[in-house]
Amino acid sequence: MPPRSPLAPDAFPELPVIGGARFAYVEAGVRYKNRPDVMLAVLDPGTVMTGVFTRSATRSACVLDCQRKITGDDGGKGAAILVNSGNSNAFTGRAGEDSVNAICKAVAEITGVPEYRVFTSSTGVIGERLPHDRITAKLAELKDKLSPNALPDAARAIMTTDTFPKAATAEIDVDGKTVRIAGIAKGSGMVAPDMATMLVYIFTDARIGRDALQSLVSEISDKTFNNITVDSDTSTSDTLLMAATGASGVDVTWNAEFTQALYDVMLDLAHQVVRDGEGATKFVTVHVTGAASDADARTHALSIANSPLVKTALAGEDPNWGRIVMAIGKSGARAERDLISIRFGEILVAEKGWVAQSYKEADGAGYFKSPEIDINVDLGIGEGMATVWTCDLTHGYISINADYRS
Amino acid sequence: MPPRSPLAPDAFPELPVIGGARFAYVEAGVRYKNRPDVMLAVLDPGTVMTGVFTRSATRSACVLDCQRKITGDDGGKGAAILVNSGNSNAFTGRAGEDSVNAICKAVAEITGVPEYRVFTSSTGVIGERLPHDRITAKLAELKDKLSPNALPDAARAIMTTDTFPKAATAEIDVDGKTVRIAGIAKGSGMVAPDMATMLVYIFTDARIGRDALQSLVSEISDKTFNNITVDSDTSTSDTLLMAATGASGVDVTWNAEFTQALYDVMLDLAHQVVRDGEGATKFVTVHVTGAASDADARTHALSIANSPLVKTALAGEDPNWGRIVMAIGKSGARAERDLISIRFGEILVAEKGWVAQSYKEADGAGYFKSPEIDINVDLGIGEGMATVWTCDLTHGYISINADYRS
């Protein structure tokens, strides 16, 4: 096990009970021994389910199954989510679908949730047959252990190369009633279909229609999870599922406070994934303004955040702004060399096509010693803006992905 | 100095004299001490000049100057190329243009070549004012040293983080007369605006019209230099200049043999750049067939070749075909999971959406021990194909770009 990321939060948050949701975890030995590797969530009837999924053309059997089910009629039924780590059941041909169907059928039987409302995720090695009988053999034990308090342990059961479990929570008050959100995530990058994939599960006791929740979740994903990158490699299994049980009795449709709270939870989880980026020693915010459009701003920000030369400069604490100029230049989005300005935090580094007169290399070097770095770029063209979060590229990344055989 | 790349060619080729072309080099101390850092090429009247340049939006002052001049009327005049290493004169604002103009004016005066036919390149650190007086102070010495035999030394003068000088040559026979091509290159990646940029200079004594040569050079660049990648980072200074002096008296317009010879020289130089990729230990050919179009094939091939997870698997000699599936999936170009087949060299690895029945992990692992690796992907959709060359991503890359301050 690699050591806990130096960028990890100080403590795991205290998660509230989400009415209408119960959780359990077991050691099923899918691949790992002596650690929890399967989690089950069971949601009460009336729960609204929404989700966003990887756009990979080679996505896994369980992602395809979730995508089919997420838009189906829920009939006011409950729902279940079963997740295993250790094996991603991706690129496993027809056998992959058979495994998904076998698990969904067995979960439906034991929980009473209809099969079309059972969602599964798998994360771990790719291309190996999922030994789904090891999972189904544990369903009775999982059912017995279901508890409203088991979400923190579920966060542990879905880890692969993660160095810390990830959770975030928020509460809002609506007319004297409390609405709660609690989410968990795993991921050591966007990244790695091999041993690290991004999975996110968020639960709330709010009452909200499916279309309203789906559009919220999609929109906020675009501003949070879709704007993080560890190494530019997109997983075959990325999945975010959100369940709204309605148990609070509070309708949050179009509630701005709920939107903000959900955004906070999702951003927090997204940041935790970056903070656990493989080998990461720097948490980096790339903020681009003044672009011709928001899309152009995001293209520039991702070009900077994914550049191996920018990422190695960050790792080396080298305030090498020339590499940022390079990444802007290569992105393909519109830029005018002499209108670009670059700031490290508050420090003006470059403007008018050259280094700023006020800039001192020592200031940049001092700033780059911080574990949290803001790279601010203004393109001086228009109103487009975007923020992307990333980490550095270190020997640790190479060690995790090259030195150890999977 | 890092050690010579393990992928370097056994020997530097013997370069022929190119009639109508003379070369010289000096130690000007632009940044490096005690090594040649400036080269001059002077081409006789009647020389045709063509070139291709980086598409970066933040390209350097000398690239912009070359682009303006390359399409101008040549008036049957001679030409000159002056290249310095150690400083890229990129993102240096108005001062950058002043340096280019000062150098071009001084070269024109001493060589008698008109200023509008003087082309310059600079490679090295970005954002620092080019001390062009150190270069112009050496022009008299350069002129005195001009010789038809100095091209090998010129190849050394343009090196930055390169671990070996790069050259390639070809000869063809046309109706009993010999036509010669000789080219030199530098580059330790596509890469790095910092201390490593790709520069290529090719000389021939062939006679050929400018439009014909320009379209040849552009077309072959698209199949050679534009299909190599070390780390996906595009330089602000990439430049390829080709000079045809006509001294052989042989017209090669539409000559298929000349086209092939030029392709061979350019591909050889492109491969040498990859073989000197920062930290490289593997030379990798990614060959994609069966795509919906050639453009789609190239998108998939580049997605594989640029994937940090594929590159670290190569570095670790881990035949991790799952990461190739991931890279195909994320590329954005068309793919159907169950039609993809993957081969390592001749070894069938995956097909029909899963690992091939005949595949043995030991075979893949054995193959990955080779320093030269072919990744062959067939998408089973159409006729599109592309080949891309790359190297692995190792601790050496991180050391060069993160551990040492520029």
Side-chain angles (χ1 to χ4, degrees):
Chain A
M1 283 286 286
R4 184 175 165 90
S5 167
L7 305 170
D10 289 339
F12 190 85
E14 201 151 320
L15 298 182
V17 164
I18 303 293
R22 291 170 300 149
F23 308 92
Y25 65 97
V26 287
E27 293 178 14
V30 172
R31 182 184 180 94
Y32 309 123
K33 303 293 167 207
N34 304 316
R35 64 181 257 198
D37 60 353
V38 175
M39 73 153 255
L40 175 68
V42 176
L43 293 314
D44 281 357
T47 293
V48 162
M49 294 292 299
T50 55
V52 290
F53 305 93
T54 180
R55 297 184 189 99
S56 168
T58 54
R59 48 194 180 268
S60 70
C62 47
V63 170
L64 291 166
D65 186 66
C66 282
Q67 287 183 296
R68 268 191 297 269
K69 288 172 174 171
I70 203 78
T71 53
D73 179 24
D74 59 24
K77 302 288 187 179
I81 302 171
L82 185 130
V83 185
N84 74 272
S85 57
N87 181 316
S88 74
N89 193 21
F91 216 70
T92 44
R94 177 75 208 170
E97 287 161 51
D98 292 346
S99 289
V100 172
N101 292 338
I103 292 170
C104 289
K105 187 157 179 280
V107 169
E109 270 166 17
I110 207 147
T111 60
V113 166
E115 201 177 325
Y116 66 85
R117 294 278 285 166
V118 179
F119 301 86
T120 67
S121 302
S122 294
T123 175
V125 293
I126 199 172
E128 287 184 18
R129 194 187 169 112
L130 179 65
H132 61 257
D133 46 330
R134 294 185 200 166
I135 297 170
T136 51
K138 293 286 183 176
L139 287 177
E141 184 184 339
L142 278 166
K143 189 193 175 187
D144 284 349
K145 289 171 78 175
L146 280 170
S147 148
N149 299 310
L151 189 54
D153 296 299
R156 267 168 244 278
I158 63 175
M159 285 167 61
T160 54
T161 55
D162 301 60
T163 72
F164 61 89
K166 300 167 186 66
T169 182
E171 282 189 10
I172 61 166
D173 202 80
V174 181
D175 302 331
K177 282 186 176 170
T178 304
V179 174
R180 297 174 179 87
I181 305 172
I184 59 173
K186 69 134 300 202
S188 214
M190 274 300 278
V191 305
D194 189 41
M195 296 294 281
T197 289
M198 201 186 68
L199 299 178
V200 183
Y201 306 96
I202 304 172
F203 306 92
T204 180
D205 53 11
R207 184 184 290 167
I208 182 169
R210 191 170 64 178
D211 292 350
L213 185 59
Q214 180 66 58
S215 71
L216 260 189
V217 167
S218 298
E219 213 169 287
I220 299 176
S221 284
D222 271 346
K223 293 191 198 307
T224 55
F225 293 107
N226 287 345
N227 281 355
I228 64 174
T229 177
V230 166
D231 57 5
S232 78
D233 277 343
T234 307
S235 155
T236 48
S237 308
D238 290 343
T239 293
L240 181 156
L241 287 169
M242 176 154 185
T245 65
S248 69
V250 181
D251 194 308
V252 296
T253 313
W254 312 125
N255 181 311
E257 225 183 325
F258 180 79
T259 300
Q260 182 65 44
L262 182 57
Y263 173 83
D264 291 345
V265 166
M266 287 171 68
L267 187 64
D268 189 343
L269 291 172
H271 282 185
Q272 288 187 51
V273 171
V274 173
R275 286 176 182 281
D276 208 5
E278 292 171 335
T281 67
K282 303 282 183 192
F283 179 82
V284 184
T285 304
V286 181
H287 187 54
V288 174
T289 54
S293 66
D294 287 354
D296 264 22
R298 185 166 177 270
T299 300
H300 283 303
L302 282 172
S303 182
I304 295 166
N306 282 326
S307 159
L309 288 169
V310 172
K311 293 167 97 78
T312 48
L314 287 158
E317 301 188 339
D318 174 5
N320 194 322
W321 57 271
R323 296 184 181 178
I324 295 167
V325 172
M326 175 280 301
I328 295 166
K330 75 162 181 168
S331 83
R334 206 178 134 205
E336 308 256 355
R337 193 188 60 185
D338 296 348
L339 299 179
I340 299 166
S341 66
I342 300 172
R343 282 181 168 75
F344 294 151
E346 303 285 311
I347 306 164
L348 179 63
V349 178
E351 63 176 349
K352 298 177 187 153
W354 206 4
V355 66
Q357 289 203 327
S358 59
Y359 178 65
K360 292 185 198 68
E361 173 85 3
D363 293 346
Y367 183 74
F368 264 51
K369 292 200 184 306
S370 165
E372 317 244 336
I373 290 174
D374 290 353
I375 296 173
N376 299 310
V377 172
D378 190 274
L379 293 161
I381 294 174
E383 304 291 317
M385 59 173 70
T387 305
V388 161
W389 297 273
T390 191
C391 59
D392 53 344
L393 172 59
T394 66
H395 283 290
Y397 182 86
I398 307 290
S399 295
I400 292 166
N401 289 299
D403 296 355
Y404 309 123
R405 293 289 303 275
S406 59
Chain B
M1 283 282 288
R4 184 176 165 92
S5 166
L7 304 171
D10 289 337
F12 190 84
E14 202 152 319
L15 299 181
V17 165
I18 303 293
R22 289 170 301 149
F23 308 94
Y25 65 96
V26 287
E27 293 178 14
V30 172
R31 182 183 179 94
Y32 310 123
K33 303 294 167 205
N34 304 316
R35 63 181 258 200
D37 59 352
V38 174
M39 72 155 253
L40 175 67
V42 177
L43 292 314
D44 282 356
T47 293
V48 162
M49 294 293 300
T50 55
V52 292
F53 305 92
T54 181
R55 297 187 188 96
S56 168
T58 54
R59 49 192 177 270
S60 69
C62 45
V63 170
L64 291 166
D65 185 65
C66 282
Q67 287 183 297
R68 267 189 299 268
K69 290 172 173 170
I70 203 78
T71 53
D73 179 24
D74 57 26
K77 303 287 185 180
I81 303 171
L82 185 131
V83 186
N84 74 271
S85 57
N87 182 315
S88 75
N89 193 22
F91 216 70
T92 44
R94 177 74 209 169
E97 288 161 51
D98 292 345
S99 289
V100 172
N101 293 337
I103 292 170
C104 290
K105 186 157 178 282
V107 170
E109 270 165 19
I110 207 147
T111 60
V113 166
E115 200 176 327
Y116 66 86
R117 293 278 285 168
V118 179
F119 300 87
T120 67
S121 302
S122 295
T123 174
V125 294
I126 200 171
E128 287 184 17
R129 193 189 172 112
L130 178 66
H132 60 259
D133 46 331
R134 292 185 202 167
I135 296 170
T136 51
K138 293 285 182 176
L139 286 177
E141 185 184 340
L142 277 166
K143 190 194 175 190
D144 286 347
K145 289 172 78 176
L146 279 170
S147 148
N149 299 309
L151 189 54
D153 296 300
R156 268 168 242 278
I158 63 174
M159 285 167 61
T160 53
T161 57
D162 301 60
T163 72
F164 61 89
K166 300 168 187 67
T169 183
E171 282 188 10
I172 61 166
D173 202 79
V174 182
D175 303 331
K177 282 186 175 169
T178 304
V179 173
R180 298 174 178 86
I181 305 173
I184 60 173
K186 69 134 301 200
S188 214
M190 273 302 275
V191 308
D194 189 44
M195 296 293 280
T197 289
M198 200 186 70
L199 299 178
V200 184
Y201 306 95
I202 303 173
F203 306 92
T204 179
D205 53 12
R207 183 183 292 165
I208 183 169
R210 190 169 65 178
D211 292 352
L213 186 61
Q214 180 66 59
S215 71
L216 260 189
V217 167
S218 298
E219 214 169 284
I220 299 176
S221 285
D222 271 347
K223 293 191 198 310
T224 55
F225 293 108
N226 287 345
N227 281 356
I228 64 173
T229 177
V230 166
D231 56 5
S232 80
D233 277 343
T234 306
S235 153
T236 48
S237 309
D238 289 344
T239 293
L240 180 157
L241 286 169
M242 176 152 185
T245 65
S248 68
V250 180
D251 194 309
V252 297
T253 313
W254 312 124
N255 181 311
E257 226 185 322
F258 180 81
T259 301
Q260 182 65 46
L262 182 58
Y263 173 82
D264 291 345
V265 166
M266 288 171 68
L267 187 64
D268 189 345
L269 291 172
H271 283 186
Q272 289 187 51
V273 172
V274 172
R275 286 177 183 279
D276 208 6
E278 290 171 334
T281 67
K282 302 283 183 190
F283 178 81
V284 185
T285 304
V286 182
H287 187 53
V288 174
T289 55
S293 66
D294 287 354
D296 264 23
R298 185 164 178 271
T299 300
H300 283 302
L302 282 172
S303 181
I304 295 166
N306 282 327
S307 158
L309 288 169
V310 171
K311 293 167 99 75
T312 47
L314 286 159
E317 301 189 337
D318 175 5
N320 194 321
W321 57 272
R323 295 184 181 178
I324 295 167
V325 172
M326 173 282 300
I328 296 166
K330 76 164 180 166
S331 84
R334 207 178 134 207
E336 307 257 356
R337 193 188 58 184
D338 296 348
L339 299 179
I340 299 167
S341 66
I342 299 172
R343 282 180 169 77
F344 294 151
E346 303 284 310
I347 306 164
L348 179 64
V349 178
E351 63 177 347
K352 296 173 189 156
W354 205 2
V355 66
Q357 288 202 327
S358 57
Y359 178 65
K360 294 184 196 70
E361 174 87 2
D363 294 345
Y367 183 75
F368 264 50
K369 292 201 185 307
S370 165
E372 317 244 338
I373 290 175
D374 290 354
I375 297 173
N376 299 309
V377 172
D378 189 274
L379 293 161
I381 293 174
E383 303 290 318
M385 60 171 72
T387 305
V388 161
W389 297 273
T390 191
C391 58
D392 52 343
L393 173 58
T394 67
H395 284 289
Y397 182 87
I398 308 290
S399 294
I400 292 166
N401 289 300
D403 296 356
Y404 309 122
R405 292 291 302 277
S406 58

